[in-house]
Every structure is written in structure tokens, then in C-alpha cells.
């Protein structure tokens, strides 16, 4: 009986560290069609190789006076490409309870680290970050 008690005591000491080492729960799926903030565009998030990416499927509310091309792109060779089909989200991988990758802002021509997660109400929390400072948008499912 004493040997059993010692084994049980050792197991009690070993189990918590083992549980802490288990991977976190997988992030909720984010694939599908999403309306960006203010419904300006529809973005299709889908697999791109081993990661996820999000491309502009349709411009719903064009910015008045702005061409429909990627005029702010830092690469002059890319500035004539249409916004439709442009990859906004790239390299997104499951990081536990959210997805991490990069987000491109065609309004500024800048790319930021990004985190995307599913909200309880079915919307997406989309964040673009510089170091620890993040700007957050909420995208809604597109019909």
C-alpha cells in the first residue's frame, strides 16, 4: 500500500507539467467570404499552400477619386495591378486560439504583422500591428 501511495504522489507531481506542455486548442476556422469594415470590399479567405490567404474578391464601395489599382504599392511595377484579386492577408497559420500572418493595406501601401480570430458572434477580429500596437477592424460574413 505504501508503494502505491508513493506512485500516486509521483504521478500527481508529474501530471500538471505534462498538461501544461500540451498544445493550445486550435484556432477556429476563418475561411470564407468576409465584408471588410464599412462593407468596402469582399475578401475571400482560403488555403494558399500550407497557409491561408485573403484576396479581394470584389470592391463594393470604391473610394471616390481613387483608381481601382494598387497605386500605393511600394513596388512601382505593382502599382498598375487591379485591387480585385489583390492579396490582403498572406501567410496565416494557426497559432493556437488565433491566426497569425501579414496584412497589406492598399490605402497606405504598407504591410503589417496581423492577428485574426473569430468572435463569438461569428464576425472576424482583424488586427494589423506594429510591435505591440494594433489597429483592430471587425469583418462580417458576406452573403
Amino acid at each position: 500500500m505504501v508503494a502505491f501511495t508513493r506512485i500516486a504522489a509521483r504521478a500527481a507531481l508529474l501530471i500538471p507539467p505534462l498538461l501544461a506542455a500540451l498544445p493550445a486548442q486550435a484556432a477556429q476556422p476563418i475561411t470564407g467570404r468576409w465584408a471588410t469594415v464599412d462593407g468596402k470590399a469582399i475578401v475571400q479567405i482560403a488555403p494558399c499552400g500550407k497557409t491561408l490567404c485573403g484576396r479581394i474578391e470584389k470592391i463594393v464601395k470604391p473610394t471616390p477619386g481613387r483608381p481601382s489599382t494598387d497605386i500605393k504599392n511600394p513596388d512601382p511595377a505593382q502599382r498598375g495591378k487591379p485591387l480585385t484579386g489583390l492579396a490582403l492577408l498572406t501567410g496565416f497559420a494557426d497559432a493556437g486560439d488565433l491566426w497569425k500572418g501579414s496584412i497589406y493595406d492598399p490605402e497606405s501601401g504598407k504591410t503589417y504583422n496581423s492577428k485574426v480570430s473569430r468572435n463569438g458572434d461569428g464576425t472576424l477580429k482583424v488586427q494589423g500591428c506594429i510591435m505591440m500596437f494594433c489597429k483592430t477592424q471587425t469583418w462580417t460574413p458576406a452573403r
Side-chain angles (χ1 to χ4, degrees):
M1 185 71 161
V2 172
F4 178 75
T5 305
R6 285 185 195 152
I7 293 171
R10 285 184 188 155
L13 291 173
L14 292 174
I15 290 175
L18 290 174
L19 291 176
L22 291 175
Q25 181 178 354
Q28 292 185 22
I30 59 170
T31 55
R33 297 175 69 240
W34 299 93
T36 63
V37 69
D38 297 329
K40 286 185 174 185
I42 304 296
V43 175
Q44 174 74 41
I45 300 176
C48 291
K50 294 182 180 183
T51 62
L52 296 180
C53 65
R55 295 187 179 278
I56 296 176
E57 182 179 285
K58 180 180 181 181
I59 302 293
V60 179
K61 297 178 185 175
T63 303
R66 186 183 195 284
S68 61
T69 59
D70 191 15
I71 60 167
K72 298 282 187 167
N73 196 302
D75 179 356
Q78 301 295 318
R79 293 179 184 158
K81 291 198 172 191
L83 292 173
T84 302
L86 180 70
L88 293 184
L89 306 174
T90 55
F92 276 79
D94 187 332
D97 58 346
L98 51 82
W99 296 83
K100 289 185 177 180
S102 297
I103 187 166
Y104 174 70
D105 176 14
E107 297 287 328
S108 68
K110 296 184 179 181
T111 300
Y112 303 96
N113 291 326
S114 182
K115 299 182 275 186
V116 176
S117 59
R118 197 88 179 246
N119 293 321
D121 63 359
T123 60
L124 281 188
K125 178 180 178 181
V126 180
Q127 296 180 299
C129 306
I130 298 174
M131 297 192 324
M132 63 181 157
F133 301 101
C134 298
K135 181 177 178 182
T136 303
Q137 293 184 349
T138 300
W139 293 4
T140 56
R143 297 171 209 266

